[in-house]
């Protein structure tokens, strides 16, 4: 028998939906990256949607004959019971809700109302000629689905504003798409085993799987950022600095106990501030970073009294990444000014037309910026600072140095949105 164009397209659409669900089921089963609970929920929703696909075809192809009335009642009740359940599972996947029991109580009551068709006409029934007829509660499934969809959309927009906005574009899109599909089915009186709503549910499964992978990527990025912060902190707390500071304190205990106590107190503050930086993935006030830099510099001046550090601060009302200025001052001391009879480091902060400018200059030994850089901790630290300034503040860092004369580092941070208002 030669198939018509409409029949061919319908078969192709059926096959496409089934293959998408089957392929998605395999992908989810083999995926070890999605959160276990969400993974199970996604498998459940794939199974439910597959049952709805089968239900739609059975309802379409089984003859409208009085002898099959009980079959049509069962199929219709199953469909009306499962459609709101799909939305409830999407809510559970989107966010672990505190109202889980209430949610599934509503789904259970909706199912009971529709399965009452076997002993009551209060929801729906089939006439003698096989026609479908609604009762007083015939729109219960639509009413429940509408409430759940509204909740899904509202929750999506709330999460969109409270958390990373881009992460919740997918759930919002899927919610709107399901609403549009439902309205289209009703408005166009679709008469087909494959409805717009059915297509939207399959699309929802695929898109939510993509969204869960996006969530995993975000979590992975956070873990990498945490590891990077630990690496940065450990790169700043150099073993030689720890040992030298403790040796200095030990020596001062015999010659100047008061200074030993003061140095040890500053050393404790320095360590605490470094460790606290692990809990600050975002920007910190400049004042905090300046305080950390000053504590470090005072400790080093105990060992190198010939070093002078001058601060010319005219702009303090802005934020920047933790461990930005202190590592640069540390580099200036370790690799520059401590060889001088009178080593000088200047920290200057100004507010400019383009934003905030931080300048750290020293009169140390300098280096050739065009020469290949050795992979020592000083250059790694400088690259870390530069990368974080660029990624977290959209700023930039420029290094100028002349051998025998010194080094100047200029950091430029643009104004943020709140400062421009």
């Amino acid at each position: 028998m030669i198939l018509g164009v409409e029949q061919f397209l319908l078969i192709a659409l059926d096959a496409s939906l089934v293959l998408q669900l089957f392929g998605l089921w395999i992908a989810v089963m083999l995926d070890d990256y999605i959160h276990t609970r969400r993974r199970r929920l996604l498998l459940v929703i794939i199974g439910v949607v597959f049952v709805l696909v089968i239900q739609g075809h059975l309802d379409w192809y089984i003859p409208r004959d009085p002898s099959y009335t009980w079959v049509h009642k069962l199929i219709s009740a199953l469909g009306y019971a499962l459609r709101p359940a799909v939305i409830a599972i999407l809510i559970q996947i989107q966010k672990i809700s505190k109202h889980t029991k209430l949610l599934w109580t509503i789904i259970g009551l909706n199912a009971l109302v529709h399965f009452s068709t076997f002993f009551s006409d209060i929801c729906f029934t089939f006439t003698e000629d096989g026609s479908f007829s609604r009762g007083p509660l015939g729109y219960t499934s639509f009413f429940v689905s509408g409430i759940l969809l509204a909740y899904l959309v509202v929750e999506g927009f709330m999460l969109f504003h409270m958390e990373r906005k881009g992460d919740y574009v997918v759930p919002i899109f899927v919610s709107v798409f399901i609403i549009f599909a439902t309205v289209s089915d009703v408005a166009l009186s679709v008469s087909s085993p494959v409805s717009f709503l059915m297509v939207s549910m399959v699309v929802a499964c695929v898109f939510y799987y993509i969204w869960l992978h996006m969530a995993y990527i975000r979590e992975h990025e956070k873990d990498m950022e945490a590891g990077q912060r630990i690496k940065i902190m450990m790169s700043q707390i150099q073993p030689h600095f720890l040992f030298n500071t403790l040796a200095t304190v030990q020596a001062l205990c015999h010659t100047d106990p008061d200074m030993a106590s003061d140095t040890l107190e500053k050393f404790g503050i320095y360590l605490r501030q470094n460790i606290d930086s692990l809990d600050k993935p975002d920007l910190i006030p400049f004042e905090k970073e300046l305080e950390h830099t000053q504590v470090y510099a005072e400790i080093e001046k105990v060992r190198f009294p010939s070093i002078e550090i001058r601060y010319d601060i005219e702009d303090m009302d802005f934020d920047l990444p933790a461990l930005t200025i202190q590592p640069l001052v540390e580099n200036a001391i370790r690799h520059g000014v401590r060889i001088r009879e009178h080593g000088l480091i200047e920290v200057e902060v100004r507010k400019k037309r383009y934003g905030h400018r931080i300048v750290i200059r020293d009169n140390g030994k300098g280096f050739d910026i065009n020469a290949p850089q050795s992979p020592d901790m000083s250059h790694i630290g400088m690259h870390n600072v530069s990368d974080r300034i660029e990624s977290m503040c959209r700023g930039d860092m420029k290094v100028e140095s002349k051998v025998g004369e010194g080094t100047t580092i200029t950091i430029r941070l643009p104004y943020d949105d709140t400062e421009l208002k």
Side-chain angles (χ1 to χ4, degrees):
M1 184 176 86
I2 300 176
L3 297 176
V5 175
E6 291 184 2
Q7 290 178 309
F8 177 78
L9 292 176
L10 185 60
I11 293 174
L13 181 58
D14 281 342
S16 173
L17 294 180
V18 172
L19 287 175
Q20 285 183 66
L21 289 173
F22 181 68
L24 186 59
W25 180 80
I26 294 177
V28 175
M29 286 292 293
L30 298 177
D31 198 323
D32 295 328
Y33 299 106
I34 299 176
H35 187 276
T36 302
R37 186 175 184 276
R38 284 177 163 172
R39 181 169 169 242
R40 290 172 181 171
L41 287 171
L42 193 56
L43 288 172
V44 170
I45 200 172
I46 292 171
V48 171
V49 172
F50 181 77
V51 171
L52 286 172
V53 171
I54 301 300
Q55 177 265 337
H57 283 75
L58 291 176
D59 187 53
W60 176 262
Y61 289 110
I62 293 178
R64 295 288 179 172
D65 187 277
S67 60
Y68 291 101
T69 298
W70 69 272
V71 178
H72 282 289
K73 284 185 176 182
L74 175 63
I75 292 172
S76 298
L78 183 64
Y80 284 122
L82 290 182
R83 289 187 187 101
V86 171
I87 305 171
I89 299 172
L90 291 179
I91 292 174
Q92 292 293 292
I93 293 176
Q94 183 166 296
K95 184 179 180 182
I96 298 176
S97 176
K98 297 179 181 179
H99 309 292
T100 301
K101 291 183 179 179
L102 175 61
L103 190 66
W104 289 105
T105 298
I106 295 174
I107 298 301
L109 290 175
N110 173 72
L112 288 176
V113 168
H114 286 86
F115 277 101
S116 68
T117 186
F118 287 102
F119 52 85
S120 170
D121 297 340
I122 194 172
C123 188
F124 68 88
T125 188
F126 288 88
T127 60
E128 292 182 359
D129 62 354
S131 300
F132 180 84
S133 176
R134 295 187 189 277
L137 299 181
Y139 289 93
T140 301
S141 178
F142 294 93
F143 181 71
V144 171
S145 298
I147 293 176
L148 294 178
L149 275 173
Y151 179 81
L152 186 67
V153 173
V154 171
E155 185 182 69
F157 275 105
M158 290 177 62
L159 295 172
F160 181 86
H161 288 289
M162 289 188 302
E163 303 183 24
R164 294 184 66 100
K165 295 185 177 181
D167 288 358
Y168 288 91
V169 170
V170 171
I172 293 173
F173 167 77
V174 169
S175 304
V176 174
F177 186 44
I178 291 176
I179 295 173
F180 174 78
T182 304
V183 173
S184 298
D185 283 335
V186 175
L188 300 176
S189 299
V190 175
S191 180
S192 168
V194 181
S195 63
F196 287 113
L197 179 60
M198 186 60 58
V199 174
S200 71
M201 288 184 174
V202 175
V203 171
C205 292
V206 176
F207 273 64
Y208 263 72
Y209 177 65
I210 296 172
W211 174 66
L212 291 178
H213 257 290
M214 290 170 59
Y216 165 76
I217 292 172
R218 297 298 185 197
E219 291 297 323
H220 185 61
E221 287 178 347
K222 290 180 181 179
D223 291 341
M224 291 183 65
E225 289 175 1
Q228 181 72 0
R229 291 197 301 274
I230 294 174
K231 181 180 178 181
I232 292 169
M233 186 202 74
M234 296 307 296
S235 71
Q236 303 311 318
I237 307 178
Q238 298 294 329
H240 73 86
F241 174 69
L242 297 178
F243 298 146
N244 290 339
T245 301
L246 292 175
T248 301
V249 171
Q250 183 181 27
L252 288 172
C253 286
H254 300 286
T255 59
D256 193 338
D258 291 338
M259 181 174 287
S261 176
D262 182 63
T263 303
L264 193 59
E265 180 181 0
K266 292 175 181 175
F267 184 57
I269 295 173
Y270 168 82
L271 291 177
R272 184 174 66 250
Q273 290 174 335
N274 268 71
I275 295 173
D276 286 346
S277 67
L278 294 176
D279 299 322
K280 296 180 175 62
D282 299 321
L283 307 180
I284 66 170
F286 168 77
E287 186 176 359
K288 290 290 185 181
E289 178 65 15
L290 178 63
E291 177 186 351
H292 184 54
T293 302
Q294 291 172 332
V295 169
Y296 167 79
E298 289 173 5
I299 295 173
E300 287 287 62
K301 286 174 67 176
V302 174
R303 296 177 53 226
F304 306 106
S306 62
I307 295 175
E308 179 184 1
I309 301 179
R310 297 175 185 172
Y311 301 94
D312 185 4
I313 312 297
E314 293 184 359
D315 178 23
M316 296 185 65
D317 190 18
F318 64 96
D319 297 335
L320 76 172
L323 296 178
T324 296
I325 300 177
Q326 184 270 327
L328 301 179
V329 171
E330 180 175 355
N331 280 341
I333 293 175
R334 290 178 54 205
H335 303 284
V337 299
R338 68 183 183 183
I339 66 169
R340 300 295 189 191
E341 184 177 349
H342 177 69
L344 176 63
I345 298 174
E346 296 175 293
V347 179
E348 176 189 290
V349 184
R350 296 282 190 273
K351 181 177 287 188
K352 296 294 183 179
R353 178 179 55 83
Y354 55 78
H356 309 280
R357 186 187 72 181
I358 304 170
V359 178
I360 302 169
R361 62 174 66 91
D362 65 70
N363 66 343
K365 62 182 181 180
F367 62 94
D368 184 359
I369 60 175
N370 296 317
Q373 304 298 329
S374 60
D376 59 14
M377 294 309 297
S378 65
H379 293 109
I380 292 175
M382 290 177 65
H383 285 304
N384 280 334
V385 172
S386 179
D387 290 343
R388 287 184 294 127
I389 288 172
E390 181 178 351
S391 63
M392 298 174 68
C393 304
R394 295 174 289 109
D396 61 75
M397 187 176 86
K398 180 181 180 182
V399 180
E400 300 174 288
S401 187
K402 291 184 179 181
V403 177
E405 296 185 16
T407 301
T408 299
I409 298 176
T410 303
I411 297 173
R412 299 193 304 175
L413 304 175
Y415 294 121
D416 60 28
D417 295 338
T418 58
E419 293 177 290
L420 293 175
K421 293 180 179 180

